[in-house]
Amino acid sequence: MPTEFCVFLRFPSKEPSFFDIPEIEDYEKAVESAALEFEPREKDEGWLSVWKAKTDGEEQSLNAGFAARRNKCQTLICLRLPIDLLKLAAIQIKQDPVDNTFSCIAYLHYLIGMASEADRKNLAKLIISRLQDGSLSLDALGYRTTKSNITPLLKKVYKRCSEEGVKVELEWAEAWARTAAEEID
Amino acid sequence: MPNICLEPKSQKPAAASYQMERRSYRPQQEFEEPTFDLFGQEYQPQAQEVKELRETTQARLKERLGVLQSKNVAGTLHFTSVKVIKDIIRSSELDDTADLERKLYTLLDGYEIILGYIAMDNRELINVRAMAARLFFARIKSQDYTQCSLANKLMAASIAKHAIPLIRLGVVLGLADARAWDDIKSFLTDPHPKVKQRAEELLEDAN
């Protein structure tokens, strides 16, 4: 039976991430380091911002949305958390549409409950365990791209957003996407 | 035998009322002149000796206090920097991250070596150390090298040759932040494929 494509995407703002080159020799420290990447900031009150993608198209839209907000030289890092992993770790998930990004992807915004250190460590242990037994590869867990690499994707997503009559809310992102689209044409 | 007071009451500064009030709760013995048993005879130091003893003790105390204060400052900077670095790792918002970095560099102005120490500190988490390495190199390499202290240079050399690949990746990224492309070239032969690959990509993007 095929596994349902459903991942929750996390976009850290700055490299390097523990998952770039996970050092697992010191297991306890590795779990703590991995858990730190899922720790909400104080102002987030225990909830971590993630984006749910149920199709490849949605994942592409999310990537485009975030890449549009980066400068040319800034890298886009995407950490992919499969839904079965979150379920196994008994992590609470809730939808939380946001207004401060492209409206065509706003409904894909979710929050996962990460207030508890035990939950964060549990998730970290599950990921590390899957990396160790080979059932999860580093490439499947996350990837890195640049704005220039996904310019065609930006064009496609911008077009789709426009066709659907959805307003692109960030003016500068809209302008950038339009310029990118013109450059390709 | 009567004792000689170190600070006779008549010579106490009148303005130090708070001090005087605090002193009044202390036992009287604290203010008594020390006496020594010298060859079976009680010996009372002379005024000059007392003065010298006081000056030496005060100088030593001052020196010790200075060491403790600088240790305390370094400890506080280290602790606060780690806290900010963790917030940078947690954040997914670019504006927040840029703001946190600005705050960190303002806090550390002149003490950037603290970031180097964090990068080398085995007690810290590996991703915290790698991010500290990036921020350290981004900062010191973007500054005028003649203003870069020898300690910072030595620290930079140690981190760049660090055995942990994730920390070297942090170094490469920091060098790219500072546009130190020539320095990145030395990572093109890095033993870890990801560090090598990232160095190649960054150099390619720069050209």
Side-chain angles (χ1 to χ4, degrees), chain A residues 10-11 13-18 20-21 23 29 32-33 36-37 39-41 43 69 75 144, chain B residues 90-94 96-97 101 122-123 125-127 131 134 164-166 173 192 194 198 201:
Chain A
R10 170 85 184 144
F11 295 95
S13 58
K14 202 171 175 77
E15 297 175 87
S17 154
F18 169 78
D20 279 322
I21 309 174
E23 296 277 344
K29 201 159 259 186
E32 273 188 61
S33 299
L36 174 64
E37 312 243 350
E39 190 176 326
R41 296 164 305 172
K43 66 179 179 182
R69 296 169 69 174
T75 306
R144 189 170 43 73
Chain B
R90 291 180 192 123
S91 178
S92 61
E93 290 165 36
L94 292 173
D96 278 358
T97 308
E101 278 179 45
N122 286 326
R123 293 166 301 179
L125 299 178
I126 182 69
N127 39 359
M131 192 63 82
R134 176 175 185 169
I164 298 177
L166 190 64
L173 292 162
H192 196 283
K194 273 213 171 171
R198 201 71 186 98
E201 286 171 354

Side-chain angles (χ1 to χ4, degrees), chain B residues 6 27 31 47 52 55 91-92 105 113 155 158 163 167 175 188 197 199 206:
Chain B
L6 284 172
F31 304 101
E52 283 171 12
E55 281 173 0
S91 178
S92 61
Y105 288 139
I113 200 163
M155 180 64 81
S158 311
I167 292 175
L175 290 171
L188 292 174
Q197 183 198 348

